[in-house]
């Protein structure tokens, strides 16, 4: 009689981690994907390391976790993934800007949401913008609204940081088109 090892157990597909409360990452993601969100481009200017050198870099990131917090004073909030370039920059530099993207600006949202993307300088290359006077950050032309902001508070929240900022300027560069939204994992148009 040959001594054969017992058959291997059937392979099980990898599952999303389940937290102590019983909700897996996949379940949470699926539930939250049913919440439609507006899409914005958050921008900031990273000052030059050497004051006598080149002028620093402009960086941007697509965000859907952005909201109004208060009217008096005017406050907004964005949620940033811990350790992201924007989170690192805004931990040191308090001025930033937000462009509320229109449905015709889907390509901008996709460009700044890519993982492993090329340099932000190249991403901004063919996008029409103006530099904000209060923040020095780039504001996308043709967006539905623009805000320039100064950070007032940073709140750790799980694997993200909630950045609450005071609105310094607000503009309405374009009234054309509807908002770009994000729903069920895709960019959408209202209607």
């Amino acid at each position: 009689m040959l001594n054969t090892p017992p058959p291997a157990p059937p392979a099980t597909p990898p599952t999303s981690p389940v937290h102590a409360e019983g909700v897996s990452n996949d379940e949470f993601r699926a539930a939250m994907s049913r919440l439609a969100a507006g899409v914005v481009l958050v921008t900031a200017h990273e000052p030059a390391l050497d004051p006598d050198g080149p002028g620093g870099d402009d960086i941007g990131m697509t965000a859907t976790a952005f909201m109004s917090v208060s009217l008096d004073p005017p406050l907004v909030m964005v949620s940033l993934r811990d350790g992201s370039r924007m989170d690192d920059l805004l931990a040191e530099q308090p001025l930033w800007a937000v462009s509320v993207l229109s449905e015709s600006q889907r390509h901008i949202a996709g460009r700044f949401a890519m993982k492993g993307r090329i340099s932000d300088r190249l991403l901004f290359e063919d996008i029409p913008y103006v530099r904000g006077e209060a923040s020095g950050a780039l504001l996308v032309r043709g967006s539905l609204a623009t805000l320039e902001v100064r950070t007032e508070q940073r709140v750790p929240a799980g694997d993200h940081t909630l950045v609450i900022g005071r609105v310094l300027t607000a503009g309405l560069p374009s009234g054309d088109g509807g908002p770009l939204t994000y729903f069920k994992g895709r960019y959408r148009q209202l209607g």
Side-chain angles (χ1 to χ4, degrees), residues 30-52:
M32 295 312 296
S33 77
R34 299 318 196 260
L35 176 64
V39 182
V40 302
L41 182 68
V42 179
T43 56
H45 183 73
E46 185 172 36
L49 295 175
D50 177 1
D52 298 327

Side-chain angles (χ1 to χ4, degrees), residues 66-148:
F66 174 79
M67 63 183 283
S68 166
V69 174
S70 168
L71 182 60
D72 187 16
L75 298 175
V76 293
M77 183 195 74
V78 66
S79 179
L80 304 176
R81 184 177 37 82
D82 289 343
S84 67
R85 185 165 181 206
M86 187 66 73
D87 181 44
D88 291 344
L89 176 57
L90 294 188
E92 296 181 16
Q93 202 283 81
L95 297 172
W96 45 288
V98 174
S99 297
V100 178
L101 299 179
S102 72
E103 59 196 5
S104 67
Q105 295 174 316
R106 176 187 304 220
H107 65 288
I108 296 172
R111 183 180 293 190
F112 285 91
M114 292 185 320
K115 290 184 167 79
R117 62 189 198 213
I118 58 176
S119 82
D120 285 15
R121 181 175 291 137
L122 295 174
L123 295 178
F124 280 114
E125 203 166 74
D126 64 345
I127 296 174
Y129 62 80
V130 297
R131 189 168 297 280
E133 291 182 23
S135 66
L138 302 185
L139 302 168
V140 178
R141 288 188 189 273
S143 54
L144 297 178
T146 58
L147 305 166
E148 292 184 88

Side-chain angles (χ1 to χ4, degrees), residues 151-164:
T151 299
E152 296 235 327
Q153 188 176 6
R154 292 174 54 86
V155 180
D159 59 1
H160 279 62
T161 299
L162 306 178
V163 180
I164 300 169

